[in-house]
Amino acid sequence: MGELKERIALNLIDTHGQEKVVFFEPSELDAALIGIALRIGLSVPAYDYDKLIEAHRKMGMSYQEAEEWVTVNTMGSYVGPETPVVVWRPR
């Protein structure tokens, strides 16, 4: 989605009356948003794994630190059924 206001754009998608959409923080991670996925009937943000690593690197982490952070603290977090998903793309 590039430089668009990703959260605003994604919140314009019909979430079928869903009250909230949970995004990863900080907002710098919005650069890794690639769309909306469905989990048990709920709309959740979908993030690109490699772009999450890149976003953390831009915030000052080494590649190894970013990879560990994304694996443990991002993909390993659960905030309920609204938890965002992370997508791996074929290389």
Side-chain angles (χ1 to χ4, degrees), residues 49-81:
Y49 176 82
D50 292 319
K51 290 181 180 183
L52 282 172
I53 300 294
E54 183 180 320
H56 281 288
R57 301 237 16 234
K58 287 181 180 178
M59 292 187 285
M61 291 184 182
S62 70
Y63 182 85
Q64 184 176 4
E65 290 170 329
E67 190 173 49
E68 182 177 338
W69 182 267
V70 169
T71 301
V72 174
N73 298 300
T74 304
M75 294 168 39
S77 68
Y78 182 74
V79 294

Side-chain angles (χ1 to χ4, degrees), residues 2-90:
E3 295 300 316
L4 290 175
K5 297 293 183 187
E6 289 90 349
R7 292 181 189 209
I8 294 170
L10 290 177
N11 276 317
L12 293 176
I13 295 172
D14 184 7
T15 56
H16 309 289
Q18 184 176 326
E19 290 186 23
K20 67 177 180 175
V21 176
V22 176
F23 293 90
F24 288 140
E25 296 292 343
S27 62
E28 286 84 356
L29 300 179
D30 288 358
L33 280 166
I34 57 173
I36 290 284
L38 289 177
R39 172 188 285 137
I40 59 170
L42 296 174
S43 298
V44 297
Y47 291 83
D48 180 281
Y49 176 82
D50 292 319
K51 290 181 180 183
L52 282 172
I53 300 294
E54 183 180 320
H56 281 288
R57 301 237 16 234
K58 287 181 180 178
M59 292 187 285
M61 291 184 182
S62 70
Y63 182 85
Q64 184 176 4
E65 290 170 329
E67 190 173 49
E68 182 177 338
W69 182 267
V70 169
T71 301
V72 174
N73 298 300
T74 304
M75 294 168 39
S77 68
Y78 182 74
V79 294
E82 300 90 2
T83 302
V85 298
V86 177
V87 176
W88 283 277
R89 294 181 187 227

